[in-house]
Amino acid sequence: MSETKYCINCGKAIPTNATFCPFCGATQDKVASTEDQNTITSEQHNTPNQPEHVNMWTALKLGMRQTFTWSQRITRPQYWWLYLDLVLISLVLTIVLGIRAYSYPAFILSPLHVNVLQTVLLLIFSALMVWTSVMQFTASARRLHDSNRSAHYLWFYLLPLVGPILIIVFLCQRSEPAGKRFDRLASQPKPWTHKWWTWCLLVLLTLGYAALINITARDTAMDAALTTTSKSATTNSDDSYSDSDSEESSDSTDYDSDSESDSDSITIGDDDIDIADQKAYSTSFTDSSWAKSTFKIDKVTVYKTDGTYTSGSGNDKKDFNGVVKVHMSIHAGQDISAYPTQAKLSTNDGQQVEADMDSDDFDGDLNSGTDSDGNLYFVLSKLSSVKDITSIRLKWDASYDTDDYDDDNAYKIFDTTLNLN
């Protein structure tokens, strides 16, 4: 029997010395010279080169090295070990960075508001997820090549339900000798890390992925805020917003959520914090100077925890032994957006912290006539005694939509200092 090779175009077996395919007419000169250089490897294995022992580490190194390699092949063990690697990496990234990235928007365009730390976290998470996605996509193309199928079969992903199932079946097929036809462009002059266009593509995909996450986080935050304010408006629909009524409402509830005056613990999010000492202060801050709306802070409580607690995770993880709770109420005189849960607090002893993400969800987009109130929590990394905090400074943003570009009042930064005595 005469020796055969496979057509670079249709993949059918043809004589080794053929210069064109008798089935499709494709010229075979280039592939012949390439195959002559790799005769021993091709004849012995008829499969792409692979290490003697394929495992998670060798598959991951191959995947990283061939992130933008399209025309070669990858064996079935190499592909599925790489697939397991990327699934585990994506899971870890989602737990460590993704949950935080989706928790609230890193930036808002109208009005312009940027959370620098959240933006950096979002970009890192997006870049890593894009890299793993590209690695997985090109590896799937090379696995199809190894089964003598064109990468165009990946278009089947667009078919609902049936398409992904067919792709999985194709990816599980054994290596086919005819798949050698896809190795014609195997040699690359330099690795992808030395090519400008690969970095440009990664940057563009990262920015697009980050924008999608930010939009999703913003919509989620707005929906949560609207739900909370809607419930608050229903509860308080029969109450007028006079100063006396507001004080009565504050005194009657006196914040049943944690009952700080009679309890030795408070609850922040899902965590119960044991309290060693506490001191509550009545305040009289009221600001009705902006957008026909009124912001009030009527109570500040300083807690000394019983022991040291930990908040956050990863790089945001920190220990604390003190908590400042600020109760705020808002009356929206027109449609506004207010973000006190993203406020920054400074203390007289030199500490500056942002509002804890487990603060009450009572802000966001507020419709005209809406009354909303809740507690802001700020954790302090060092607090010797509750009496050490004698004053606090609080800053937060608010805005409203307008078509008047000359309206300098559309964006407001509230800045107040409260003396605790």
Side-chain angles (χ1 to χ4, degrees):
M1 179 181 293
S2 61
E3 295 183 357
T4 61
K5 61 182 180 180
Y6 298 92
C7 174
I8 63 173
N9 183 55
C10 65
K12 295 184 179 181
I14 60 177
T16 303
N17 58 356
T19 58
F20 64 91
C21 177
F23 299 99
C24 66
T27 302
Q28 307 296 308
D29 290 340
K30 292 184 178 180
V31 72
S33 61
T34 301
E35 288 181 348
D36 289 341
Q37 299 173 8
N38 301 280
T39 303
I40 298 177
T41 302
S42 300
E43 290 180 351
Q44 290 179 349
H45 300 288
N46 285 325
T47 59
N49 294 329
Q50 59 177 315
E52 295 182 0
H53 302 287
V54 180
N55 53 42
M56 294 179 67
W57 176 238
T58 58
L60 181 60
K61 288 195 298 183
L62 178 65
M64 292 189 294
R65 188 170 62 250
Q66 298 183 339
T67 299
F68 283 92
T69 300
W70 187 265
S71 60
Q72 295 186 20
R73 294 176 291 158
I74 185 173
T75 63
R76 184 166 55 180
Q78 288 172 327
Y79 176 81
W80 288 111
W81 276 120
L82 176 62
Y83 184 86
L84 177 60
D85 287 328
L86 297 182
V87 168
L88 295 178
I89 291 173
S90 299
L91 182 61
V92 172
L93 288 175
T94 301
I95 294 174
V96 176
L97 301 176
I99 295 177
R100 178 67 182 272
Y102 279 97
S103 61
Y104 56 90
F107 55 89
I108 300 174
L109 297 180
S110 180
L112 182 62
H113 175 80
V114 179
N115 185 316
V116 177
L117 180 61
Q118 183 74 358
T119 301
V120 172
L121 181 146
L122 175 62
L123 290 176
I124 293 175
F125 174 70
S126 300
L128 294 175
M129 291 300 293
V130 164
W131 185 28
T132 57
S133 299
V134 172
M135 200 184 308
Q136 175 65 38
F137 184 75
T138 56
S140 297
R142 298 195 302 274
R143 178 77 268 273
L144 289 174
H145 290 168
D146 189 43
S147 64
N148 194 30
R149 291 180 175 86
S150 169
H152 287 294
Y153 277 86
L154 292 175
W155 289 107
F156 281 9
Y157 273 125
L158 300 179
L159 298 178
L161 188 61
V162 178
I165 295 176
L166 289 175
I167 293 296
I168 292 175
V169 172
F170 296 153
L171 295 175
C172 292
Q173 300 297 306
R174 292 182 178 181
S175 299
E176 291 289 341
K180 291 188 299 181
R181 64 193 177 101
F182 294 101
D183 289 341
R184 61 187 181 277
L185 299 176
S187 60
Q188 295 185 358
K190 54 185 177 181
W192 69 267
T193 52
H194 296 171
K195 298 179 180 180
W196 65 269
W197 68 267
T198 57
W199 290 105
C200 290
L201 182 59
L202 284 178
V203 169
L204 291 176
L205 292 175
T206 297
L207 294 177
Y209 193 83
L212 182 62
I213 294 178
N214 194 72
I215 292 173
T216 302
R218 183 178 183 276
D219 291 344
T220 302
M222 290 177 60
D223 291 342
L226 289 174
T227 301
T228 302
T229 55
S230 177
K231 291 181 179 178
S232 176
T234 302
T235 303
N236 299 314
S237 60
D238 296 332
D239 297 335
S240 64
Y241 199 79
S242 64
D243 289 344
S244 59
D245 289 344
S246 176
E247 292 175 359
E248 287 180 5
S249 176
S250 299
D251 294 338
S252 63
T253 55
D254 218 351
Y255 327 132
D256 295 335
S257 59
D258 33 311
S259 304
E260 73 273 356
S261 59
D262 298 324
S263 175
D264 294 331
S265 67
I266 60 173
T267 301
I268 302 179
D270 297 329
D271 300 324
D272 292 328
I273 310 297
D274 293 332
I275 300 302
D277 193 14
Q278 60 182 287
K279 190 171 182 62
Y281 302 91
S282 296
T283 59
S284 57
F285 170 79
T286 302
D287 191 323
S288 303
S289 63
W290 177 78
K292 305 176 185 177
S293 302
T294 302
F295 292 77
K296 288 189 176 184
I297 299 176
D298 54 9
K299 194 165 188 177
V300 176
T301 307
V302 181
Y303 298 96
K304 175 74 170 71
T305 65
D306 187 6
T308 301
Y309 288 81
T310 302
S311 67
S313 61
N315 294 332
D316 296 329
K317 187 176 181 180
K318 64 179 180 179
D319 296 333
F320 67 92
N321 63 356
V323 179
V324 176
K325 186 182 75 172
V326 178
H327 181 265
M328 178 183 292
S329 58
I330 306 172
H331 172 73
Q334 67 181 61
D335 292 350
I336 62 172
S337 298
Y339 304 99
T341 56
Q342 299 179 18
K344 290 184 178 180
L345 178 139
S346 303
T347 62
N348 59 284
D349 61 354
Q351 301 185 69
Q352 177 173 306
V353 294
E354 295 183 354
D356 190 85
M357 60 184 300
D358 288 321
S359 298
D360 293 347
D361 189 4
F362 66 98
D363 60 351
D365 292 335
L366 303 178
N367 294 332
S368 177
T370 297
D371 296 325
S372 180
D373 70 285
N375 294 316
L376 306 173
Y377 295 96
F378 303 87
V379 297
L380 304 179
S381 58
K382 54 181 180 179
L383 182 65
S384 300
S385 170
V386 294
K387 296 180 181 179
D388 293 344
I389 307 300
T390 58
S391 67
I392 60 173
R393 181 184 179 187
L394 202 62
K395 296 178 67 176
W396 70 94
D397 301 333
S399 63
Y400 59 80
D401 293 332
T402 178
D403 294 329
D404 184 2
Y405 293 103
D406 296 327
D407 187 357
D408 297 331
N409 203 38
Y411 182 73
K412 172 76 171 179
I413 299 178
F414 288 87
D415 188 347
T416 182
T417 298
L418 303 176
N419 294 316
L420 307 181
N421 49 44

